[in-house]
């Protein structure tokens, strides 16, 4: 029976957060500059630990992406996955992902990152994906579709995908407090590259 391997993406498989990188990549410079001014207090508060991540990211998506053409954004996401993500991957984490794949384990990336760039990246890697999804109406982005895939939502999504009890062992890899619930459900936990009890 294969094991289940659950990988966070940003900061775990990559060397840094890719959400801000994608926003800079996808948003036109004038809108980026205006958004930077409007969101400066929220981003400052988030970095200081005064504002939670979910409302901060929701505000960034609303200001940065709302109203953009969904097809165009998916094309930008595919280009970002192909051109940018390979340069920020963590070699040792990718080696671990490959190890699980070669063993025949079920490998799932469980991320708060956006579907527009994670869907093509995970397809190229041959792994499954649970992530935050953008909503659209009339071909235009409207914001997040449902809850962001962070914290307890990661666990809920995993249980929706499969029955974890069906696997001989669960391995989980993460790097922030938003991964703690997912790590807690695993038999084997790796936090910031270090195996933890």
């Amino acid at each position: 029976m294969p094991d289940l391997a659950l990988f966070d993406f940003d900061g775990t498989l990559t060397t840094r957060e890719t959400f801000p990188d994608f926003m800079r990549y996808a948003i036109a410079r004038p809108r980026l500059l205006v958004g930077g001014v409007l969101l400066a207090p929220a981003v400052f508060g988030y970095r200081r630990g005064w504002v939670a991540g979910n409302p901060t990211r929701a505000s960034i998506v609303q200001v940065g992406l709302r109203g953009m053409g969904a097809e165009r954004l998916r094309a930008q996401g595919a280009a970002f996955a192909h051109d940018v993500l390979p340069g920020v991957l963590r070699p040792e984490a990718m080696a671990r992902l490959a190890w699980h794949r070669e063993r025949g384990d079920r490998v799932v990336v469980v991320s708060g990152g956006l579907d527009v760039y994670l869907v093509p990246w995970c397809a190229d890697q041959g792994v499954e994906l649970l992530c935050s999804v953008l909503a659209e109406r009339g071909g235009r982005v409207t914001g997040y579709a449902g809850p962001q895939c962070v914290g307890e939502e990661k666990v809920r999504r995993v249980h929706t995908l499969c029955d974890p009890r069906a696997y001989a062992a669960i391995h989980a890899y993460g790097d922030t407090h938003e991964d703690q619930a997912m790590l807690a459900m695993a038999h084997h936990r790796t936090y910031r590259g270090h195996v933890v009890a």
Side-chain angles (χ1 to χ4, degrees):
M1 181 182 296
D3 290 354
L4 177 64
L6 307 171
F7 284 86
D8 169 57
F9 188 74
D10 282 342
T12 299
L13 289 171
T14 66
T15 57
R16 63 174 186 260
E17 296 291 316
T18 59
F19 176 80
D21 289 348
F22 179 70
M23 300 305 275
R24 287 188 290 269
Y25 184 90
I27 300 170
R29 184 165 176 77
R31 187 170 184 173
L32 195 63
L33 292 172
V34 171
V37 172
L38 291 174
L39 295 168
V43 172
F44 178 77
Y46 171 70
R47 289 178 177 160
R48 301 287 277 187
W50 302 335
V51 180
N54 280 18
T56 302
R57 286 186 293 266
S59 296
I60 291 170
V61 165
Q62 282 292 312
V63 172
L65 302 181
R66 186 178 177 86
M68 288 184 66
E71 280 298 327
R72 176 173 171 268
L73 194 62
R74 278 192 285 273
Q76 287 177 307
F80 181 79
H82 182 267
D83 299 336
V84 178
L85 291 183
V88 297
L89 296 174
R90 206 179 280 279
E92 63 276 16
M94 289 302 297
R96 190 67 179 174
L97 185 147
W99 179 78
H100 279 291
R101 241 183 359 216
E102 289 160 9
R103 278 170 32 113
D105 294 338
R106 185 174 190 176
V107 181
V108 186
V109 171
V110 189
S111 173
L114 299 176
D115 59 331
V116 289
Y117 55 87
L118 287 178
V119 165
W121 187 84
C122 286
D124 285 346
Q125 299 298 318
V127 298
E128 295 179 74
L129 172 65
L130 298 169
C131 70
S132 298
V133 177
L134 292 174
E136 60 181 272
R137 185 183 302 117
R140 299 283 174 181
V141 174
T142 60
Y144 280 108
Q148 296 171 39
C149 188
V150 298
E152 293 291 342
E153 181 65 13
K154 290 194 172 192
V155 174
R156 192 192 71 76
R157 300 271 189 104
V158 170
H159 281 274
T160 299
L161 177 70
C162 64
D163 181 359
R165 296 170 301 179
Y167 296 89
I170 301 171
H171 306 254
Y173 302 82
D175 76 304
T176 72
H177 69 280
E178 292 184 329
D179 302 317
Q180 292 298 334
M182 183 176 75
L183 290 166
M185 70 183 289
H187 303 98
H188 308 284
R189 307 171 185 92
T190 302
Y191 184 72
R192 296 184 178 174
H194 301 286
V195 176
V196 295

